[in-house]
Amino acid sequence: AAAAWESAAAGGKIGQVLQGWQPAVVSTTATSMVDLTGMTVTITPAATSSKILVIVDMYLSETTTNTWFAQMLRGTTNVGGDTVNSFIGAGIGKEYGHDTCSVAYIDSPSTTDATTYKIQWHTDNASNALYLNRVGSVTNRSSASSITVMEILA
């Protein structure tokens, strides 16, 4: 008998992929959450039943042993963080150390309106800068960080 092909299952297909990309070194001395330059992306879901896969990769360093914190927001709502403080990352960095913060989170925004995902960050000590993408004490080389969103169709 001839092979019979089944129709592909509905749902689970990628509708669109968008990315916020930050290849430059960025710093902050903020001690409360502030937006992280370049780590914002806006997606307009095709259907309210769509899910959004958010993937974050960040490379952080400090000039001393600061503690750093990061969170992810959908609009003004904290998403994807831990159940205690809603952080997607926190760390106690070593002097000119290099911390990695990587997160994958599936969100259900239930909207077809433009939806913005962004990263915020801060340090615990305003006297010592927190850096994104800086490689140790070297100021002329850097990593790159990104926030990627993918619409998963229902």
Side-chain angles (χ1 to χ4, degrees):
W5 293 96
E6 296 291 326
S7 297
K13 297 180 179 85
I14 302 298
Q16 55 184 315
V17 178
L18 300 165
Q19 186 176 62
W21 178 258
Q22 180 52 276
V25 173
V26 179
S27 67
T28 188
T29 55
T31 56
S32 59
M33 290 293 181
V34 293
D35 292 353
L36 179 45
T37 304
M39 297 293 286
T40 300
V41 64
T42 300
I43 189 168
T44 303
T48 57
S49 58
S50 293
K51 297 194 182 308
I52 307 297
L53 173 60
V54 185
I55 301 169
V56 177
D57 286 302
M58 299 188 301
Y59 304 94
L60 300 122
S61 65
E62 303 82 21
T63 55
T64 185
T65 55
N66 291 9
T67 302
W68 60 266
F69 306 91
Q71 68 182 10
M72 178 168 55
L73 300 175
R74 177 196 345 107
T76 58
T77 302
N78 193 303
V79 295
D82 67 40
T83 57
V84 177
N85 300 303
S86 301
F87 298 139
I88 60 167
I92 300 172
K94 296 178 238 165
E95 185 172 353
Y96 294 111
H98 199 174
D99 293 338
T100 301
C101 178
S102 297
V103 175
Y105 176 73
I106 297 176
D107 191 31
S108 301
S110 301
T111 186
T112 55
D113 293 338
T115 303
T116 299
Y117 292 89
K118 67 181 177 180
I119 303 302
Q120 292 186 326
W121 66 337
H122 76 83
T123 182
D124 70 339
N125 185 342
S127 298
N128 299 304
L130 171 61
Y131 294 92
L132 181 75
N133 298 332
R134 182 172 169 174
V135 179
S137 61
V138 179
T139 57
N140 64 348
R141 286 183 279 172
S142 66
S143 303
S145 296
S146 64
I147 178 170
T148 305
V149 293
M150 296 185 219
E151 180 181 12
I152 303 168
L153 303 172

